[in-house]
Amino acid sequence: MNKIGLLIVEDDPVWMDCLCKLVERENDIVVVEKVSTKEAALNVDCTKFDVALLDLSLTDNVEKFEGIEIADYLRSKNFCKIIMLTSWEDKDTILNAFDKGVMNYVAKKSFRDIPNAIKEAYQNNHSLHSDATNIVLSELLKERKIKKLTKSEREVYELHEKGLKKNEIASILYKSVETIKLQIKNIRKKIEK
């Protein structure tokens, strides 16, 4: 039986050790490469491993998510079996990771899910663990509701989402501010129910 070769990108040595021990308990997974910096990750040979497990943030800079950049690089090399490991569970970060082609998003608090996530990614199966499931499902449902808005409501919604004020939207769409207020109220009802 061939073992699944794993790349781990993690800057915390304690987490790196923990991850290695966790996955190597599995009979069918072996860590073939481990790196702790973005620079090292951008120089890995994608032919040497089957699945990549990337820490989302490799520095203390909360504004910068190196894991997303690494995922982007791996995808440019046609490598797609990527799992994001993180303690960040906000909607935008999770969706951004999936936009970059990540197959799974596992919270560090759910680290026991990692071996199964690796096996699922190896078999080309997307899966969700931790709170990512609820976030992604709610976003999908929201998108479906947005598609059901009328053309006029979608125009108002898109401008409102860009941060424009009601009077600015009214000016752009040649409507009264009262009409825009009413439309936004109706849009919220449709999307949030």
Side-chain angles (χ1 to χ4, degrees):
M1 177 174 160
N2 287 342
K3 291 193 175 195
I4 301 167
L6 181 67
L7 162 71
I8 300 178
V9 180
E10 171 61 63
D11 65 325
D12 183 324
V14 173
W15 264 104
M16 179 69 85
D17 185 54
C18 202
L19 291 168
C20 289
K21 287 178 181 172
L22 174 71
V23 297
E24 290 192 335
R25 284 188 206 146
E26 303 292 315
N27 295 330
D28 51 354
I29 302 173
V30 62
V31 177
V32 294
E33 191 158 0
K34 50 187 180 177
V35 297
S36 59
T37 65
K38 177 178 93 173
E39 293 72 25
L42 296 179
N43 288 306
V44 296
D45 179 352
C46 295
T47 64
K48 293 188 176 185
F49 51 90
D50 302 302
V51 176
L53 179 64
L54 312 177
D55 185 11
L56 177 67
S57 182
L58 299 173
T59 65
D60 292 333
N61 183 348
V62 296
E63 301 288 321
K64 193 166 181 173
F65 295 132
E66 293 85 356
I68 300 280
E69 294 174 49
I70 297 165
D72 219 10
Y73 165 77
L74 292 174
R75 293 288 295 177
S76 76
K77 300 291 181 187
N78 295 319
F79 186 88
C80 60
K81 296 177 181 180
I82 304 166
I83 301 166
M84 196 63 66
L85 177 67
T86 183
S87 49
W88 297 84
E89 293 187 84
D90 67 278
K91 178 184 80 169
D92 290 335
T93 306
I94 291 170
L95 295 174
N96 191 17
F98 282 111
D99 284 344
K100 295 299 181 183
V102 169
M103 294 186 80
N104 199 332
Y105 193 99
V106 181
K108 286 187 175 180
K109 69 182 182 183
S110 303
F111 78 99
R112 295 202 188 286
D113 291 337
I114 291 170
N116 284 337
I118 293 166
K119 293 171 190 178
E120 289 164 356
Y122 180 71
Q123 295 171 2
N124 288 317
N125 295 325
H126 286 76
S127 57
L128 294 171
H129 294 268
S130 77
D131 294 337
T133 305
N134 292 332
I135 289 169
V136 171
L137 285 175
S138 74
E139 196 63 20
L140 287 172
L141 291 171
K142 180 180 174 184
E143 287 298 317
R144 288 178 59 92
K145 290 175 182 177
I146 291 169
K147 286 181 182 178
K148 292 180 180 178
L149 296 175
T150 66
K151 182 182 177 203
S152 175
E153 288 171 333
R154 273 196 307 273
E155 288 174 338
V156 171
Y157 175 79
E158 288 168 7
L159 293 170
H160 190 259
E161 284 296 295
K162 288 180 182 175
L164 273 68
K165 296 181 176 139
K166 292 175 185 94
N167 62 334
E168 294 171 315
I169 297 169
S171 175
I172 291 169
L173 298 178
Y174 303 105
K175 295 181 179 183
S176 72
V177 174
E178 289 306 313
T179 300
I180 296 301
K181 284 181 184 178
L182 182 61
Q183 280 191 292
I184 290 173
K185 183 179 176 181
N186 290 335
I187 290 166
R188 283 192 180 131
K189 282 181 188 177
K190 287 181 178 182
I191 291 175
E192 293 170 4
K193 67 177 178 178

